[in-house]
Amino acid sequence: MTSSSSPSQDTKRLAHTYPEGLRADALMEEDVAWSHEIDGERDGDQFDRSERAALRRVVGLSTELEDVTEVEYRQLRLERVVLVGVWTTGTAQDADNSLAELAALAETAGALVLDGVIQRRDKPDAATYIGSGKAAELRDIVLETGADTVICDGELSPGQLIQLEDVVKVKVIDRTALILDIFAQHAKSREGKAQVALAQMQYMLPRLRGWGQSLSRQMGGGRGGLATRGPGETKIETDRRRIREKMAKMRREIADMKTGREVKRQERRRNKVPSVAIAGYTNAGKSSLLNRLTGAGVLVENALFATLDPTVRRAETPGGRLYTLADTVGFVRHLPHHLVEAFRSTMEEVGDSDLILHVVDGSHPTPEEQLAAVREVIRDVGATGVPEIVVINKADAADPLVLQRLLRVEKRSIAVSARTGQGIAELLALIDDELPRPAVEVVALVPYTHGKLVARAHAEGEVLSEEHTAEGTLLKVRVHEELAADLAPYTPVSA
């Protein structure tokens, strides 16, 4: 430990009072080291030096088997970050919005944003992303603010990452790594954790680095002798091979989980239950809308990617038709392709649905950009042929002019508020109109001894009229071909 070149008054006083060997011991004694001039103005109770360094007992952290209440005192500190972006296309406002979104992502990940800078360039610098001169300026900002991390608003190549770190002398990450970190924090289900782990390994594989002896070669693999015939693998090559093996295992596990979800989808198809998928930008209110429509009880939080795991709930139209409502993972601009690939099996819920509720945040400064970003991902997963309803959420907090503009541009759209319930009844009626209807219209007089057919007609079809007569239940329904064949023997002669 180095000492300051200008000792404090308290240290000078100790030098006169104690011999050389006893100064350190005296500094550890609170009654000697404490002085009224220096410490008298402190607010609140202060821990003694020895108490700060010792173990403290935390109430409630114990088990029946073993006392584990002794934990070490530590001060929690958020990671302090500086943001940097490169403005290549669009307006200055677009660049500011992109950096503001990056700040929201950083805060969601648990960082403290200290500063943000944008550079205007035709394209990012191939070496340091922002150029050598601007990298030096960024180093000065890092020193001035005391930041320990730099986050770039883009995906950096391994070379750019290394060279920028060499200049700024602190950790550098890009937008992709930040989103992957948020996904890793928020994934709760086994499948979600596996998908995030696969995406992280795909991102990490080309960015592995080694220092010093970690790059040295292992013994060669020649047969006989001293087994030194051949260069062998370096440590980094061994790491890459192990990561590839883990990725292969993870893909097999995700494929097995996909099979289970596909069985459930086939069961819904067999029962002719229509499906509706909720898609949209992150934090647009998809989970809030699902809770409002079905009472699902899904976590709702004002944070990006608060919920990752898909949730499927049963719902019912005002006319009594059953359908499923699936909440999907949120999208964001420049969503890393690693995540799109890893979450492809989850996003298939969108492609296999009969209707997409495309939720957009009406209170956002640029809702049109959110719509474009989500539609790009929908196109990537092959769901462009599915009918879409644009649900403009947060209508209670949106600018009326923005709402009017969106409703005018998007022909199949509706403004709602999942928080207040505004427009929910109209949305349910619109879903009822847009869901595919059974093709065959049947009139049947079902005996009371065959009540299961009546129940199936209500569950799988659309009941147009129902009358209870002396002979049985007279139904006029619109059903699919299989149920129509089951009802055919009970068609009245007059019909």
Side-chain angles (χ1 to χ4, degrees):
M1 181 182 294
T2 58
S3 60
S4 174
S5 58
S6 56
S8 64
Q9 294 297 117
D10 192 58
T11 306
K12 290 179 180 178
R13 180 174 62 82
L14 289 169
H16 291 292
T17 309
Y18 291 90
E20 183 71 26
L22 299 179
R23 291 178 193 170
D25 295 335
L27 286 171
M28 293 300 294
E29 296 176 9
E30 187 68 19
D31 56 339
V32 176
W34 189 90
S35 66
H36 185 273
E37 293 81 10
I38 297 176
D39 301 321
E41 300 299 324
R42 291 178 178 172
D43 294 332
D45 298 331
Q46 304 296 317
F47 287 114
D48 296 344
R49 295 176 188 270
S50 57
E51 189 176 350
R52 273 205 306 271
L55 298 178
R56 293 175 53 205
R57 184 172 294 277
V58 178
V59 178
L61 293 182
S62 63
T63 67
E64 297 177 357
L65 299 178
E66 183 181 3
D67 185 7
V68 291
T69 59
E70 298 293 344
V71 297
E72 194 171 351
Y73 173 77
R74 286 289 183 269
Q75 181 181 6
L76 178 64
R77 185 174 69 84
L78 295 176
E79 199 164 355
R80 301 158 63 85
V81 302
V82 171
L83 312 179
V84 56
V86 173
W87 169 25
T88 56
T89 58
T91 64
Q93 184 63 41
D94 294 337
D96 291 343
N97 290 338
S98 182
L99 205 67
E101 184 177 271
L102 186 68
L105 288 168
E107 291 171 356
T108 301
L112 178 64
V113 179
L114 302 178
D115 203 352
V117 291
I118 299 175
Q119 185 195 13
R120 183 71 170 95
R121 294 179 66 94
D122 293 334
K123 60 181 181 180
D125 182 66
T128 59
Y129 183 67
I130 55 175
S132 57
K134 295 299 179 183
E137 294 181 20
L138 180 62
R139 170 62 179 163
D140 295 338
I141 295 174
V142 168
L143 288 173
E144 180 183 349
T145 57
D148 44 38
T149 304
V150 170
I151 304 178
C152 297
D153 191 16
E155 185 167 342
L156 272 61
S157 68
Q160 289 173 324
L161 199 66
I162 294 171
Q163 294 193 50
L164 189 57
E165 276 188 352
D166 289 342
V167 176
V168 298
K169 305 301 182 185
V170 295
K171 181 175 68 175
V172 176
I173 64 173
D174 57 13
R175 184 188 182 95
T176 300
L178 178 61
I179 294 176
L180 286 171
D181 182 77
I182 296 173
F183 271 56
Q185 292 181 43
H186 292 177
K188 295 294 184 288
S189 69
R190 178 168 169 257
E191 184 175 12
K193 292 178 180 178
Q195 289 168 328
V196 172
L198 177 60
Q200 286 178 318
M201 285 187 284
Q202 287 176 319
Y203 174 79
M204 187 194 312
L205 187 61
R207 293 172 173 81
L208 287 180
R209 284 183 280 173
W211 291 269
Q213 292 300 314
S214 64
L215 286 175
S216 62
R217 291 195 176 274
Q218 301 176 2
M219 186 177 295
R223 291 182 299 172
L226 298 177
T228 57
R229 298 182 182 88
E233 284 184 312
T234 62
K235 177 66 166 60
I236 198 168
E237 288 170 344
T238 305
D239 292 341
R240 284 174 178 158
R241 175 168 50 81
R242 288 174 177 169
I243 287 179
R244 290 190 187 98
E245 291 172 354
K246 287 183 180 179
M247 288 170 59
K249 179 182 177 183
M250 204 69 68
R251 287 193 179 100
R252 289 194 297 270
E253 291 180 358
I254 293 173
D256 292 340
M257 300 175 201
K258 176 185 175 182
T259 302
R261 193 169 50 251
E262 181 61 29
V263 169
K264 294 178 182 177
R265 277 204 292 262
Q266 288 177 356
E267 183 69 15
R268 294 197 293 266
R269 291 195 199 103
R270 187 178 66 81
N271 293 327
K272 308 298 182 183
V273 179
S275 61
V276 178
I278 301 178
Y281 213 76
T282 178
N283 207 32
K286 298 183 299 301
S287 298
S288 299
L289 184 64
L290 178 68
N291 290 343
R292 173 65 69 170
L293 293 175
T294 66
V298 177
L299 169 70
V300 173
E301 187 176 352
N302 185 23
L304 306 184
F305 302 112
T307 51
L308 295 181
D309 304 316
T311 304
V312 180
R313 290 292 183 269
R314 173 178 168 173
E316 189 174 322
T317 66
R321 299 173 63 201
L322 295 179
Y323 65 96
T324 59
L325 201 59
D327 184 17
T328 61
V329 63
F331 304 144
V332 71
R333 277 180 296 187
H334 314 302
L335 189 67
H337 65 276
H338 307 294
L339 282 174
V340 175
E341 185 63 30
F343 278 80
R344 184 171 296 277
S345 58
T346 302
M347 294 176 182
E348 286 175 359
E349 293 285 353
V350 178
D352 291 342
S353 62
D354 298 301
L355 180 67
I356 296 176
L357 297 185
H358 185 165
V359 184
V360 61
D361 184 358
S363 63
H364 193 270
T366 56
E368 291 86 357
E369 291 185 6
Q370 290 192 353
L371 286 167
V374 174
R375 282 170 175 158
E376 181 179 350
V377 179
I378 290 176
R379 185 171 59 251
D380 290 342
V381 298
T384 52
V386 182
E388 175 192 69
I389 297 176
V390 176
V391 182
I392 308 168
N393 195 22
K394 306 182 184 179
D396 55 322
D399 185 347
L401 295 178
V402 174
L403 286 180
Q404 292 177 11
R405 185 177 75 241
L406 288 173
L407 290 171
R408 184 176 63 253
V409 173
E410 300 294 338
K411 302 304 180 186
R412 295 156 57 88
S413 60
I414 183 172
V416 305
S417 172
R419 185 177 67 87
T420 65
Q422 171 190 344
I424 296 298
E426 292 81 358
L427 175 60
L428 287 170
L430 188 57
I431 292 173
D432 195 4
D433 293 338
E434 294 293 336
L435 283 177
R437 297 181 179 276
V440 183
E441 187 172 311
V442 176
V443 177
L445 182 60
V446 183
Y448 290 120
T449 55
H450 293 71
K452 288 184 178 180
L453 282 176
V454 178
R456 283 183 61 192
H458 280 277
E460 303 174 18
E462 182 180 2
V463 178
L464 304 178
S465 66
E466 183 178 14
E467 181 183 352
H468 298 289
T469 66
E471 294 79 14
T473 305
L474 181 61
L475 290 174
K476 184 178 181 181
V477 293
R478 189 178 286 116
V479 294
H480 52 83
E481 295 179 358
E482 181 182 346
L483 183 54
D486 293 340
L487 291 172
Y490 307 102
T491 302
V493 177
S494 59

